[in-house]
Amino acid sequence: MDPSETERSQSREWRRETRVNVGPAERKASVIGGAALAVSGLRCISKRNYASGLAMMLAGGMFLYRGQTGHCGIYDAMGVDTVHTHNSALTIEKAVTIGLPPNEVYEFWRNLENLPRFMRHLESVQVTGARTSHWKAVGPGGISAEWDAEMMEDVPGQQISWHSVGEADVPNKGSVEFREAPGYRGTEVKVTIDYYPPGGGAGRAAAKLAQGINSQQLEEDLKRLKQILEVGEETTARRTVQ
Amino acid sequence: MRAVCWHGKHDVRVDEVADPQIVSKGDVIVKVALTCICGSDLHLYNGYVPTMKKGDILGHEFVGEVVEAGSGVTRFHVGDRVIVPFPISCGVCWYCKHELWSLCDNSNPNSWMLEHLYGDTGGGIFGYSHMYGGFSGGQAEYVRVPFADVGLEKIPDGIPYEQVVLLTDICPTGYQAADNCNINPGDTVAVWGCGPVGLMAMMSARHLGAERVIGIDRFPDRLQMAHSQCQAEVLNYEEVDVAEALQNMTGGRGPDSCIDAVGLEAVGTGIEGIYDSVKQTLRLENDRASALRQLTKACRKGGTLSIVGVYSGFIDKFPMGAIFAKGLTLHAGQAHVHKYLPHLLKLVQEQQLNPSSIITHRLPLEEAPRGYKTFLNKQDACIKIVLNPQAQGAAATPGSEQASAG
Ligand SMILES: [Zn+2]
Ligand SMILES: [Zn+2]
């Protein structure tokens, strides 16, 4: 690494906290979307609906903060800089260990119509061809998004990747890797999803991100996947059948 | 059915609520015969747990009779009398398979709530806030119990409910505290806190071969009970310098193991900075950390600190230097009840263990609000309260209940 490069990366480190890395249009959208989310989060908390309230506050607060300061911790952590690059993705990566052999976990995932069983924001995935499928997502407040996806890689027992094609509401691509975990612990499942907020970031994207396609959601999704595969169904604390 | 519901700080009520139903095929419905108020229920009662909702049914210590079983349940049938462990465990995850039952990966649908703070978290618990899963608790007439084949333990004929109701939490928690001390012949075990868990830890330490057991508390009636029930020597920490007294009692070495059965008067500080109660909590934590510092200071070199009192957030001035310099081993965590139940049940059957000896109060469910108040204020020499949901005034108790309880 040449000296000037080292210097630049050091000063980047030092200014990390104050650097503006969110573009103007997105800043505006973030404030609007973020404030709304933070407020509805507070309302949930005051109604003692903590679970969703806290999630909303976390997400909303983050957007509000980055709108006011032009700095986003999430973006920073992901190395995303929308001031300089308009097509950079929001990347979410999560991993979970599931106590089954890789090929069994792969088989379950490969049947894409299983995905809405554990991915809360997905209403449906319809297989439309050998490598194509149609995805429908919904969020709170009735916001919905649809897209067609095409499978790119399909390595049985190891990896599946896909990307949205055509006019997607939120262009995205994803991949899931299945790797045998050490010591008979089952399978390490690693999911990576890239979202491309439209136009570098409209309020719509902020809202959608906060609503369900954030990393928190993915984490919960993967836990549900684990429950379904290990236990046979999603764990519920419900006292009555509704 | 009637159930003890949380309504806010120092506000629990007996409400009429919907009966539970079989939701998953591995569920059973248990008709509760006896249920306890636990010291850790007081954390909820005091309003320190942020993920409680109005109307949540309390209680994680209960025994009773199976009145309905899901289609997937094979080990239990209607009419079986059962012990229900307070942690909910799936039985198939890596943790369950490794006897780390309370750390079950699959039983807490809300585990994400604590993950931001802890990195990962334990399994679901009955009646213990939404961050521990949001399961309805056992201070009620009926309870939906998931993963029945995994968790429940049949009560052998002839053993009354009262003898086994503490096997749901207190006994295994105290036993695990002692078990984690790896007690050797000649060992001295000191126990901070002579509440139900502390008393059980002392009994267990004796059972596991400790030569001497020392109980530390400030309430004379509790110290008295430690002395009479557990043959413990006792120290009142308001009257003596505990670390110094312990040194002098053990030839300057210090106890071989120290058990913290105090528990923080605060659970769920997970969402620091949002609630006023958190500040209060933090003050209390600092206060309690002094007990933990005392353990660390008193313990002999190379000894064991076994922490079963509930800790939840951060601690100031944690004596890491002493732990390092003295080469101490630290054990902590919720009890893996499932692991200890068969052994403890056998001890009860053989009359080597008499858990009901620490029960001081027996009330009908209706009197739960009074019970919480009495327990909180340590009035009336209160150590352990048992509620009976089937007794609506003694006269109304059906004879059959008495028979099945005896
Ligand atoms: Zn308890
Ligand atoms: Zn488990």
Side-chain angles (χ1 to χ4, degrees), chain B residues 38-40 60-61 86 169-170 384:
Chain B
C38 179
S40 60
H60 58 268
E61 303 180 357
F86 79 89
D169 177 357
I170 301 306
K384 193 67 182 173

Side-chain angles (χ1 to χ4, degrees), chain A residues 45 48-51 54-55 58 184-185 216 219-220 223 226-227 230-231 233 235-241, chain B residues 18-22 24 50 52-53 57 92 105-106 111-113 115-116 133-136 144 147 275:
Chain A
I45 281 178
R48 300 201 173 272
N49 182 2
Y50 292 113
L54 283 168
L58 282 175
Y184 305 104
R185 284 167 169 85
Q216 179 69 63
E219 171 127 24
E220 288 176 59
K223 282 183 176 262
K226 183 180 163 74
Q227 289 161 12
E230 289 188 356
V231 176
E233 63 186 334
T235 305
T236 176
R238 283 205 316 258
R239 189 166 82 244
T240 53
V241 187
Chain B
D19 283 356
Q21 295 169 322
I22 301 282
S24 299
M52 289 297 290
K53 293 184 193 173
I57 301 175
V92 295
D105 244 352
N106 290 319
S111 59
W112 61 271
M113 287 186 189
E115 256 178 20
H116 272 293
F135 290 90
S136 292
R144 172 196 164 225
F147 304 114
Y275 305 93

Side-chain angles (χ1 to χ4, degrees), chain A residues 226 230-231, chain B residues 88-97 100-107 123 147 150:
Chain A
K226 183 180 163 74
E230 289 188 356
V231 176
Chain B
I88 301 169
S89 311
C90 77
V92 295
C93 73
W94 188 89
Y95 294 92
C96 287
K97 282 183 186 156
L100 299 165
W101 301 93
S102 69
L103 300 175
C104 175
D105 244 352
N106 290 319
S107 65
F147 304 114
V150 180

